[in-house]
Amino acid sequence: MNVHWNQGSEDCVKNPQPPIQVHQYNAQTFILRESLCATYEAPFMYLLIGKRKALLIDTGAVSDAKTMPLAQRVISLLPNFASRLPLMVVHTHGHLDHRSGDDQFRTLRDVEVVPTDLASVKDRFGIADWPKGLGQIDLGDRVIDVIPTPGHYSSHVAYYDRRTGLFFSGDFLLPGRLLIEDTDADLASARRVAEFVERHPVTYVLGGHIELDQSGKTFFGTRYHPNERPLQLTRQDLLALPGIVEGFNGVYANRGGYVLMNQNRILILLGVGAVIVLVAIILILRDLWRRVRSRSQSN
Ligand SMILES: [Zn+2]
């Protein structure tokens, strides 16, 4: 898979970029990406078309249909535009950069938007035993397995397309920062996924973002990604994940080419650090004030 993704721009006002890039992987599979100029998250979304139904995985970071005509573009990619297939909209997880386009789909006919809360995810995909069980979505001659992968987000799931062997990993595994909210859950997910891919052929692992360049440097919060590394990871990367998550200190680490971090804990530590600095400043000022006062009294 050799795709050159739009690299955004150093100045998106002077050099605006098209809002959505679409790569046709095969006749029934599309990879969509929101432009870096529209959102520095530049999330990927995936459209899989079956005989009876189409499936969209994630709806991106931009809600406004005028600046980001996602629904319009997705519908235009469906066969028989006029009497088109029903569309099911699902998510890898509930972070806003993966579901902000939902409202664009809610008003359309023959479109179901599956919510991201755990109860809905379990119920709609038929996952009785969370997180050990699997769910299925049948698009008619195309079955997608739904694999619980909590850790980054409590109701995170990955999707495996039996027809193409594509594994859609969301933010559970991507070329970039692995943000881990719950290390134990994440490690257990990595182990279960490794077991799953031992038994299934995987062509590519496709995640939610690209945050690394070719030399391994991390992009974050920038609308310009020169020399981005490719989107696709491999089965081998999934198999190596348990070893990378194992032994993670739960705050921040650089392991196996990924940056692992728990943003909540880092925020708490930064908060505690700020309080310590503040208290120290108050103590120093109080001390100075006392000295000045005792000097003026002794004069
Ligand atoms: Zn996320």
Side-chain angles (χ1 to χ4, degrees):
M1 199 167 86
N2 187 10
V3 193
H4 179 74
W5 297 107
N6 183 304
Q7 62 180 10
S9 172
E10 282 178 288
D11 187 340
C12 288
V13 179
K14 268 195 202 146
N15 302 303
Q17 302 298 314
I20 311 170
Q21 184 176 352
V22 179
H23 169 70
Q24 181 160 17
Y25 178 81
N26 67 24
Q28 287 93 27
T29 310
F30 297 86
I31 305 176
L32 298 89
R33 187 191 202 183
E34 289 185 343
S35 149
L36 281 155
C37 278
T39 159
Y40 71 85
E41 301 275 9
F44 287 87
M45 294 151 292
Y46 301 95
L47 178 64
L48 315 180
I49 297 168
K51 248 204 181 99
R52 279 189 283 108
K53 208 195 274 189
L55 183 75
L56 177 69
I57 303 174
D58 285 350
T59 64
V62 184
S63 53
D64 181 26
K66 283 200 196 80
T67 56
M68 182 58 67
L70 177 69
Q72 190 194 22
R73 193 68 198 271
V74 166
I75 299 296
S76 77
L77 294 171
L78 298 178
N80 307 324
F81 192 54
S83 61
R84 64 163 172 83
L85 290 175
L87 173 70
M88 186 182 198
V89 177
V90 299
H91 310 84
T92 53
H93 63 294
H95 284 150
L96 274 176
D97 53 325
H98 296 262
R99 64 177 172 90
S100 287
D102 280 10
D103 279 349
Q104 293 186 24
F105 293 90
R106 285 205 177 94
T107 49
L108 303 178
R109 66 172 172 85
D110 283 339
V111 175
E112 176 190 7
V113 180
V114 179
T116 56
D117 62 284
L118 185 57
S120 302
V121 168
K122 282 165 64 177
D123 179 59
R124 197 58 191 86
F125 303 138
I127 306 171
D129 182 15
W130 178 275
K132 289 185 183 148
L134 294 177
Q136 262 99 43
I137 303 167
D138 188 356
L139 305 178
D141 79 348
R142 190 172 190 179
V143 176
I144 313 299
D145 290 300
V146 187
I147 306 148
T149 43
H152 170 77
Y153 189 90
S154 59
S155 59
H156 195 293
V157 292
Y159 298 91
Y160 174 74
D161 176 19
R162 295 185 196 174
R163 188 195 280 176
T164 57
L166 292 173
F167 189 102
F168 303 98
S169 55
D171 286 1
F172 168 68
L173 180 64
L174 56 100
R177 295 168 310 144
L178 304 185
L179 305 178
I180 299 175
E181 200 179 80
D182 180 336
T183 307
D184 292 343
D186 202 75
L187 179 57
S189 294
R191 287 179 176 151
R192 282 193 318 274
V193 164
E195 252 171 60
F196 180 90
V197 301
E198 292 276 9
R199 290 179 280 116
H200 297 80
V202 174
T203 46
Y204 295 117
V205 178
L206 303 175
H209 312 267
I210 301 173
E211 297 177 341
L212 292 174
D213 75 2
Q214 301 277 1
S215 71
K217 194 172 70 72
T218 309
F219 295 116
F220 181 64
T222 163
R223 294 177 187 275
Y224 183 48
H225 284 198
N227 292 316
E228 229 179 22
R229 60 143 289 159
L231 164 67
Q232 64 272 22
L233 293 166
T234 64
R235 176 175 179 272
Q236 214 46 46
D237 293 316
L238 277 177
L239 292 172
L241 191 60
I244 289 169
V245 179
E246 217 166 8
F248 171 49
N249 60 21
V251 184
Y252 183 93
N254 216 316
R255 298 169 70 101
Y258 306 94
V259 174
L260 279 66
M261 54 199 278
N262 181 323
Q263 274 181 313
N264 297 341
R265 288 211 181 135
I266 289 172
L267 282 177
I268 290 169
L269 285 178
L270 286 176
V272 169
V275 169
I276 291 173
V277 169
L278 200 65
V279 169
I281 290 172
I282 290 170
L283 289 177
I284 290 167
L285 286 177
R286 195 180 65 169
D287 189 53
L288 275 175
W289 168 245
R290 280 184 182 163
R291 280 192 215 180
V292 168
R293 211 172 47 171
S294 70
R295 210 175 280 173
S296 66
Q297 276 169 356
S298 62
N299 284 343

